[in-house]
Amino acid sequence: MAPINQTPQGRIPNDEPTVRLTVSQATIKFLANQFVERDGERQKLFAGCFGIFGHGNVAGLGQALLQAELEDPEALPYILGRNEQAMVHTAVAYSRAKDRLQTWAVTTSIGPGATNLVTGAALATTNRIPVLLLPADTFATRVSAPVLQELERPDSGDLTVNDTLRPVSKFFDRVWRPEQLPSALLGAMRVLTDQAETGAVTVAIPQDVQAEAFDWPVALFNERTWHLGRVVPQPGQVARALDLIRAAQKPLLVAGGGVHYSRATEALRAFAEQTGIPVGETQAGKGALRYDHPLAVGAIGSTGTTAANALAADADVVIGIGTRYSDFTTASRTAFSNPDVKFVNINVCSLDVCKHSAVGVLADARETLTALADLIDGYRTTDEYQERVRSLAAEWDAMVESAYHPGRTGESGRLLQSEVIGLVNELTDPRDVVVCAAGSMPGDLHKMWRTRDSKGYHVEYAYSCMGYEVAGGLGIQMACPDRDVFVMVGDGSYLMMATELVTAVQEGVPVNVVLVQNDGYASIGSLSEELGSQRFGTKYRYRSDRGRLDGDVLPVDLAANAESLGAEVIRAHTASEFAAAIKHAKTSPRPTVIHVESDLMTNAPDSKSWWDVPVSETSALESTQQAREVYDAWKSVQRHYLTPSE
């Protein structure tokens, strides 16, 4: 046996060039050289790195980012955030606006900085949007343990708070030694560029390892291009889908977010026009077809239009494209109520392809729509069906017009939320972007917003996270500087997280925020009333002499708050003042907040639909008893969709 310090026989000595860098410096250098390519378009995967520094990362990744900025400011630009969760929201919104072809890295310290990432990570993974999380971790050597903010457990020596990110990440790794970094980073890139299985990706790096030096192969830092191909549908899958579609008398297309990520909007429009099949849209799919297209029936499901939901109720074949069929899309599995309904699911994610016992096409949306169009010659829905589609859409549009121009104020004398939405819609340009995430506003926007551009609507509704709005709007404005971005946010979500207004001021990003104050939770208040709970605990009130939260309205001045954060603030009380504020915001180079007080009742048209939220089975309250009767009636028509579509 050869001595262990001798080169094995026949093996060429490793003379690969190396460079000595810390783990943090190597990480930043690697990230700056990652590219993606699709359809011949090549671009950097990482637009930059958001961060908040603490003792866990200031001397590691913080030092590396400083060094990189001094060497090449464009390599991996750094932006200081104000809240760790918000930084993830901004990265997610940016990535969605870029069709998931670009994203940001996010670095935090250990402890609360890391755990603040959990909600943002869950949002990214639920929405299937790539974002790289780089939380610091406690010492790998454990010499100084327990360190500040370390979670000590008597049953585990290697568990840290970063492990809370495991269940909400699509990939998780911890770099205990420098030698592990290349495999961790390459594994992270694999998931970040996987169009079917992407989401939050976490690479935790202990604070001592961050500062440790190592001799890295130079090849690790070569430019690396990740080619994102389009999955072509299998002929057998296409044939089975065609058999179902050709036999359909009342088909309906349901466009989800995958239509946008695949950049399949033109292919969808062409297929719809060729076949005469109407198009309903999920929250993520809204904008796939202009609102005034003859085959557009708008939002579908619990927050849908009466047009889309009427067609869904009768549809014999539902063609879902890039949708995961959330409960809001299916109205908790009551929307598609034809007893013989069958499904065709087109998706790159196998989890979604098999839902509702569908005939599945595991492939890219654009490629599949093109293949179907090439082979479906001769099929077209009847003139009578298309006339019904146009009639239903016109009826709904008239309801929206009435909601936009109610001719009255709310009971409080304030503007109605539907009127505020209408003014923003009518006074903004087709390419402007409306942003929202939680409360009553997303449902009203889904129903009523008239989309005129495929990128003009951005509502985060997979996780429906309060606080996403301002941070998300910042990310979209950064991704689309040639568009005006209007964040629609209620007082509840604003109070959750308005911190990134400061970041927008710092970076000179002129995002616009329409802050609608109605002194309560309009969405949950309405749901509470519907479920027999009498809007309990949903209004911003003093506690009265009775010990209940039903006293006077709290004197909260959110306009003053926004002004204190550095934004330009305009207070609007009337429709004319609000219209003038919108026009000014579109010309302002500063982040602008338009504060408007609205009535707690939103005045949105009813979708004639349902959402499954259980009601107490027994109650002493008559309101709850009545709500339970309604709930039981809806439950009786809920479907499982277990019959195979093939």
Side-chain angles (χ1 to χ4, degrees):
M1 178 180 291
I4 59 173
N5 62 348
Q6 185 175 336
T7 302
Q9 187 175 4
R11 186 76 61 85
I12 300 174
N14 184 2
D15 58 357
E16 183 178 6
T18 61
V19 58
R20 192 163 181 79
L21 300 169
T22 67
V23 169
S24 294
Q25 292 161 0
T27 299
I28 299 306
K29 192 175 184 65
F30 175 89
L31 298 181
N33 285 293
Q34 302 307 299
F35 291 77
V36 295
E37 177 275 326
R38 188 175 71 174
D39 299 336
E41 179 185 348
R42 182 176 182 266
Q43 57 193 316
K44 276 194 168 187
L45 175 58
F46 295 102
C49 181
F50 290 106
I52 296 176
F53 296 132
H55 68 281
N57 64 343
V58 66
L61 286 167
Q63 187 279 336
L65 285 162
L66 165 64
Q67 187 167 304
E69 183 176 288
L70 294 174
E71 292 174 355
D72 181 3
E74 301 301 318
L76 196 73
Y78 168 76
I79 290 182
L80 167 63
R82 267 70 197 177
N83 179 282
E84 291 87 357
Q85 180 190 144
M87 293 192 297
V88 185
H89 294 337
T90 302
V92 167
Y94 185 101
S95 184
R96 177 173 163 182
K98 293 287 189 179
D99 294 327
R100 307 191 298 187
L101 298 176
Q102 274 191 298
T103 188
W104 287 71
V106 177
T107 179
T108 73
S109 187
I110 62 176
T115 52
N116 279 351
L117 294 173
V118 173
T119 297
L123 180 143
T125 297
T126 305
N127 282 276
R128 300 172 186 174
I129 305 292
V131 60
L132 176 62
L133 309 180
L134 299 171
D137 220 321
T138 53
F139 280 78
T141 60
R142 305 182 190 171
V143 172
S144 301
V147 299
L148 178 66
Q149 298 176 335
E150 180 176 352
L151 175 69
E152 281 191 289
R153 290 177 58 99
D155 60 333
S156 176
D158 64 349
L159 188 73
T160 78
V161 296
N162 283 341
D163 288 283
T164 61
L165 287 160
R166 287 183 184 271
V168 293
S169 297
K170 295 295 285 188
F171 176 89
F172 181 97
D173 203 353
R174 181 179 278 114
V175 180
W176 292 113
R177 294 178 53 84
E179 294 93 332
Q180 297 171 340
L181 183 67
S183 64
L185 291 177
L186 290 170
M189 294 308 110
R190 174 185 60 79
V191 176
L192 288 167
T193 58
D194 187 329
Q195 296 291 283
E197 296 296 334
T198 194
V201 166
T202 300
V203 178
I205 311 178
Q207 62 185 99
D208 53 343
V209 176
Q210 285 187 39
E212 189 173 345
F214 188 75
D215 293 320
W216 309 95
V218 171
L220 178 63
F221 309 113
N222 291 347
E223 287 190 359
R224 195 179 302 267
T225 301
W226 300 81
H227 298 278
L228 309 185
R230 293 183 177 274
V231 180
V232 178
Q234 296 298 306
Q237 294 179 339
V238 172
R240 288 188 288 273
L242 283 169
D243 286 343
L244 268 188
I245 297 170
R246 286 196 185 105
Q249 299 296 311
K250 297 177 180 179
L252 177 66
L253 286 158
V254 177
V259 173
H260 291 292
Y261 303 143
S262 175
R263 296 182 177 173
T265 54
E266 284 303 307
L268 174 68
R269 179 189 58 78
F271 182 76
E273 291 175 352
Q274 178 183 350
T275 59
I277 303 177
V279 178
E281 298 169 324
T282 71
Q283 279 280 16
K286 192 169 172 71
L289 206 60
R290 271 186 64 104
Y291 85 96
D292 54 359
H293 190 282
L295 291 165
V297 292
I300 192 167
S302 298
T303 54
T305 71
T306 52
N309 285 341
L311 294 170
D314 293 338
D316 52 0
V317 174
V318 178
I319 308 163
I321 310 172
T323 177
R324 62 192 188 97
Y325 285 116
S326 77
D327 62 341
F328 263 73
T329 298
T330 68
S332 298
R333 297 196 176 188
T334 62
F336 310 114
S337 54
N338 185 323
D340 299 316
V341 66
K342 299 181 184 300
F343 294 86
V344 173
N345 292 346
I346 301 166
N347 210 297
V348 293
C349 181
S350 60
L351 176 64
D352 299 317
V353 164
C354 63
K355 289 176 179 175
H356 299 169
S357 304
V359 167
V361 183
L362 184 63
D364 176 79
R366 194 177 79 180
E367 293 291 328
T368 304
L369 285 167
T370 301
L372 290 172
D374 289 342
L375 297 170
I376 204 170
D377 285 343
Y379 173 83
R380 188 167 177 81
T381 59
T382 64
D383 292 342
E384 292 78 10
Y385 186 60
Q386 293 175 50
E387 178 55 36
R388 183 174 185 237
V389 169
R390 288 189 291 269
S391 176
L392 288 170
E395 289 175 12
W396 177 260
D397 196 58
M399 282 190 268
V400 172
E401 188 68 18
S402 177
Y404 275 10
H405 305 283
R408 63 182 177 85
T409 58
E411 294 180 3
S412 62
R414 299 174 174 183
L415 295 177
L416 293 166
Q417 184 165 286
S418 64
E419 188 176 7
V420 172
I421 291 173
L423 286 166
V424 177
N425 190 245
E426 293 171 350
L427 293 169
T428 53
D429 297 328
R431 295 187 73 257
D432 293 349
V433 186
V434 65
V435 185
C436 196
S440 62
M441 197 81 72
D444 289 358
L445 289 168
H446 192 210
K447 293 186 226 181
M448 297 190 294
W449 188 262
R450 291 167 168 167
T451 50
R452 298 157 288 172
D453 181 89
S454 63
K455 288 292 184 185
Y457 185 88
H458 184 119
V459 171
E460 188 285 300
Y461 214 61
Y463 210 54
S464 187
C465 184
M466 295 178 72
Y468 175 89
E469 292 90 345
V470 174
L474 170 64
I476 299 162
Q477 190 69 81
M478 292 169 62
C480 308
D482 59 334
R483 298 173 183 259
D484 289 332
V485 174
F486 284 86
V487 173
M488 304 284 286
V489 61
D491 43 14
S493 273
Y494 179 89
L495 284 167
M496 287 279 184
M497 193 175 299
T499 53
E500 300 321 293
L501 274 175
V502 179
T503 306
V505 171
Q506 171 185 278
E507 297 296 330
V509 180
V511 64
N512 303 302
V513 177
V514 177
L515 173 51
V516 181
Q517 183 161 344
N518 53 27
D519 302 310
Y521 295 126
S523 175
I524 294 302
S526 176
L527 181 65
S528 171
E529 187 170 50
E530 182 181 328
L531 302 181
S533 296
Q534 305 174 9
R535 293 183 179 263
F536 174 72
T538 62
K539 297 179 181 179
Y540 298 160
R541 302 275 180 168
Y542 282 109
R543 193 169 294 281
S544 68
D545 295 338
R546 297 186 300 166
R548 303 190 64 197
L549 295 177
D550 58 358
D552 292 336
V553 174
L554 297 177
V556 178
D557 191 342
L558 297 183
N561 173 265
E563 196 167 34
S564 75
L565 298 179
E568 179 180 7
V569 175
I570 304 172
R571 297 175 187 259
H573 302 91
T574 65
S576 59
E577 289 177 356
F578 187 79
I582 291 289
K583 293 175 182 176
H584 174 79
K586 284 183 64 62
T587 64
S588 176
R590 297 176 55 194
T592 303
V593 174
I594 302 171
H595 179 273
V596 58
E597 295 181 342
S598 76
D599 194 83
L600 196 58
M601 308 306 166
T602 70
N603 192 48
D606 189 355
S607 288
K608 307 295 183 185
S609 192
W610 184 61
W611 183 37
D612 189 351
V613 180
V615 180
S616 296
E617 195 166 359
T618 61
S619 174
L621 301 177
E622 183 179 354
S623 59
T624 306
Q625 294 168 10
Q626 293 173 351
R628 180 68 195 199
E629 291 178 5
V630 174
Y631 179 77
D632 288 339
W634 275 109
K635 286 292 286 186
S636 69
V637 298
Q638 198 171 34
R639 304 280 299 280
H640 292 289
Y641 304 126
L642 297 177
T643 303
S645 292
E646 186 177 356

